[in-house]
Amino acid sequence: MPSYIPARSELEILNILWDEGQATVKEIYDRLSRRRPMAYTTVLKTMQIMRAKGVVKTNGKGKAHIYKAVPKRELIRKRMVRDLLERSFSGSVPDLFEAVFEAKTPAP
C-alpha cells in the first residue's frame, strides 16, 4: 500500500471509516445508499477488495465484521494532492493554487 491512491468509491468508504472510527458493511451501505442507489453487494465487494489491498482491516469476530481504515486520512490526502500536482500541473504549485482559486471564484 505504499503508493495507494483510492478510487472514488474507496474514498467514500474511507471517509465514513475515518469519521466513525469503525463500521460494519451494513452501516457503510446505509450511509452510502442515502446519497445514491447502490447494491449492498457492491459495497461488500469493494470492502473485500480494500481488505485484500491492506487498506481496511476487520476484527474478524462474529457474523458482522467491523472494519477500520488502515491509512490515516492525512496520508491519503497528501498522496492525492501530490498525484494531482504531478499529473495535472507538472509539479507547479503556483499553477495548482491558481486553478484552486479560479475554481472557487464565482463566475461573473
Side-chain angles (χ1 to χ4, degrees):
M1 188 186 56
S3 60
Y4 170 76
I5 295 176
R8 180 181 215 139
S9 59
E10 293 175 341
L11 185 58
E12 288 178 311
I13 291 168
L14 284 171
N15 277 319
I16 293 169
L17 292 173
W18 288 323
D19 291 345
E20 300 298 325
Q22 62 184 27
T24 64
V25 174
K26 171 97 169 70
E27 291 166 337
I28 291 170
Y29 165 75
D30 288 344
R31 292 237 345 235
L32 292 175
S33 64
R34 283 186 229 142
R35 298 179 199 161
R36 68 179 188 283
M38 66 177 52
Y40 175 87
T41 54
T42 301
V43 177
L44 175 62
K45 184 63 176 173
T46 302
M47 294 187 71
Q48 289 170 338
I49 292 168
M50 292 172 72
R51 184 174 180 211
K53 291 179 182 179
V55 179
V56 297
K57 62 182 179 180
T58 181
N59 66 356
K61 297 177 186 171
K63 190 174 178 182
H65 293 278
I66 298 173
Y67 287 82
K68 292 179 128 183
V70 172
K72 301 286 183 212
R73 178 179 262 160
E74 297 76 23
L75 173 66
I76 296 301
R77 282 181 174 168
K78 285 179 187 178
R79 285 181 184 168
M80 291 175 70
V81 169
R82 190 176 306 121
D83 182 64
L84 175 67
L85 180 64
E86 293 303 320
R87 286 188 306 118
S88 299
F89 299 96
S90 300
S92 172
V93 173
D95 288 351
L96 171 64
F97 282 127
E98 182 179 340
V100 169
F101 179 73
E102 289 174 3
K104 286 295 192 180
T105 304

